[in-house]
Amino acid sequence: MKIAFFSTKSYDRESFNQFLPGSGHHISYFEVKLDKDTLSLAAGHEVVCSFVNDKIDAEILKELKKLEIKLIALRCAGYNQIDLNAAAEQEITVVRVPAYSPEAVAEHAFALILTLSRKTHKAYNRVRENNFSLDGLTGVNIHGKTIGVIGTGAIGRAFCRIAKGFGCQLIANDVYENEEMKTLGVTYHSLKKVLSRSDIVSLHCPLTPETHHMINAETISQMKDGVALINTSRGALVDTKAVIKALKTGKIGYLGIDVYEQEEHIFFKNLSEEIMQDEEISRLMTFPNVLITGHQAFLTKEALEQISKITLSNISDFEKGLKLKNEIKAT
Ligand code: NAD
């Protein structure tokens, strides 16, 4: 099939090109993201392949239908960026990569926790300037802490397995309780109870209308003083303004985020020569106890390989008219 590939980065191209020979597909790589100004590039293709910040709304879907696009292959797990009702109306099938390497994201969440709790981000800079003073580098142990995990799907479960190895107590909130997690010693509670008992809260649920701003002024007030908040899921799970207020008062002791509410205007771009226009991310960067990474939790060699293989096999299954195990539909 002819695939129009949007938001291409060099690592996407390298990884997909490894698996393309023999697949029977052809990919046109476009660096631009998919939007109303760029969608015409999809003309002459049958499939659009897009990533997390390609917002695919009803208007774009209507135009893609006119271009005879039959399939949208999301090369990511989350699908909050696409209007599935509108896709169904336009009779465009949507597939995704539900789990490529949950460990990649879970390990990154732990990288954020470990960096912030042991201040290695500060130590790295200090030592490079021959400053070997330890003042201000006192950390906290992870061992023995209570971690609240919101969402025990593929990534949340991988996260719990790692946390168990650190000797943490694990409490969780999910709409479904998972038996493997219960055997591991994870106990399930209401969101309020999880937030009120956790030293560290790590978010691993999808962004939906129900979970939008689930971390807000009210839910932050239910948390322990000095709580650590880690978000590797989706930016809009968190009300950034409320989090900034809580960082200013010390209610939130540290914040590690790989995702950001307004990230679609900022992430995946080199803006080092530009004046940052986003006031909230600028404010977040002023806190010594905040660590931000630019949606890189998925970015491991192993995960990229899985993303490429599963995306190409989703497209092949669609071409052959096979049952699509990774299809997503409006509920
Ligand atoms: P998953 O579907 O396997 O798990 C999601 C879990 O959240 C499920 O167990 C589900 O029941 C639960 N859930 C749904 N609604 C909930 C609610 N209101 N409250 C509590 N729990 C709820 O998904 P996953 O593969 O574990 O991925 C989780 C999220 O991580 C994705 O939705 C995506 O947004 C994000 N993600 C981020 C990156 C990154 O690079 N930062 C990469 C992949 C995925």
Side-chain angles (χ1 to χ4, degrees):
M1 297 193 89
K2 289 186 184 142
I3 307 163
F5 197 104
F6 286 87
S7 300
T8 309
K9 301 289 175 202
S10 57
Y11 49 78
D12 292 316
R13 196 188 293 252
E14 271 165 37
S15 183
F16 272 81
N17 282 351
Q18 267 188 78
F19 301 103
L20 199 57
S23 71
H25 305 306
H26 175 270
I27 300 183
S28 307
Y29 291 106
F30 304 118
E31 286 179 15
V32 287
K33 69 189 230 189
L34 174 64
D35 61 27
K36 62 179 176 12
D37 299 324
T38 63
L39 64 83
S40 61
L41 291 166
H45 300 83
E46 298 147 291
V47 183
V48 157
C49 182
S50 64
F51 197 49
V52 290
N53 287 330
D54 294 310
K55 202 163 179 283
I56 310 179
D57 58 18
E59 196 191 334
I60 289 189
L61 285 157
K62 207 169 151 191
E63 294 304 315
L64 291 178
K65 175 73 178 178
K66 286 186 200 157
L67 296 177
E68 297 182 27
I69 293 298
K70 297 177 179 66
L71 177 71
I72 293 181
L74 305 177
R75 53 181 192 279
C76 53
Y79 51 89
N80 53 285
Q81 71 277 25
I82 183 161
D83 183 337
L84 291 175
N85 286 309
E89 260 171 46
Q90 300 300 337
E91 296 175 327
I92 297 178
T93 305
V94 184
V95 286
R96 66 169 179 147
V97 183
Y100 37 89
S101 173
E103 288 75 19
V105 182
E107 287 172 13
H108 191 81
F110 249 88
L112 296 175
I113 293 173
L114 289 172
T115 304
L116 285 159
S117 63
R118 301 309 300 267
K119 306 189 182 181
T120 47
H121 55 313
K122 288 182 153 192
Y124 175 80
N125 287 326
R126 256 188 214 192
V127 169
R128 284 166 67 90
E129 291 183 2
N130 294 332
N131 177 355
F132 298 96
S133 152
L134 296 183
D135 288 339
L137 292 185
T138 307
V140 283
N141 282 11
I142 300 302
H143 180 88
K145 294 291 182 296
T146 298
I147 307 193
V149 182
I150 315 300
T152 52
I155 296 171
R157 292 200 297 277
F159 178 90
C160 288
R161 288 183 213 109
I162 298 171
K164 198 71 193 167
F166 273 85
C168 298
Q169 304 269 36
L170 286 160
I171 56 177
N173 172 260
D174 196 311
V175 279
Y176 303 106
E177 300 191 359
N178 179 277
E179 290 308 315
E180 181 211 334
M181 288 296 101
K182 286 189 188 171
T183 310
L184 195 73
V186 178
T187 55
Y188 285 88
H189 308 275
S190 67
L191 180 64
K192 190 172 177 183
K193 208 166 197 175
V194 170
L195 297 181
S196 66
R197 290 185 178 181
S198 302
D199 300 301
I200 300 169
V201 172
S202 194
L203 305 179
H204 299 289
C205 61
L207 176 62
T208 62
E210 294 77 50
T211 61
H212 182 265
H213 280 190
M214 75 189 310
I215 303 299
N216 54 42
E218 192 194 333
T219 51
I220 291 171
S221 74
Q222 295 161 358
M223 296 182 188
K224 280 189 177 179
D225 290 342
V227 65
L229 178 64
I230 303 296
N231 187 7
T232 55
S233 193
R234 283 292 178 266
L237 293 177
V238 169
D239 176 350
T240 312
K241 285 190 175 66
V243 161
I244 289 172
K245 273 192 188 152
L247 281 161
K248 283 165 80 176
T249 61
K251 177 75 184 177
I252 293 182
Y254 63 78
L255 172 75
I257 54 171
D258 184 53
V259 286
Y260 170 63
E261 226 181 328
Q262 274 90 246
E263 69 173 53
E264 60 186 270
H265 308 296
I266 306 170
F267 282 11
F268 308 120
K269 296 177 194 161
N270 178 358
L271 302 177
S272 56
E273 296 299 315
E274 294 180 26
I275 307 296
M276 175 54 71
Q277 300 298 325
D278 188 297
E279 303 285 340
E280 281 165 11
I281 201 158
S282 300
R283 183 68 180 98
L284 283 175
M285 286 191 273
T286 66
F287 293 100
N289 51 348
V290 171
L291 181 57
I292 305 172
T293 53
H295 209 135
Q296 71 172 78
F298 74 98
L299 193 62
T300 65
K301 187 174 170 292
E302 293 82 355
L304 287 173
E305 285 180 6
Q306 284 302 310
I307 290 173
S308 313
K309 277 191 203 168
I310 297 170
T311 301
L312 291 171
S313 110
N314 283 343
I315 295 170
S316 296
D317 288 353
F318 177 82
E319 186 181 25
K320 290 176 195 151
L322 299 176
K323 187 172 159 29
L324 296 173
K325 56 182 180 302
N326 296 327
E327 182 172 5
I328 36 171
K329 291 182 180 174
T331 44

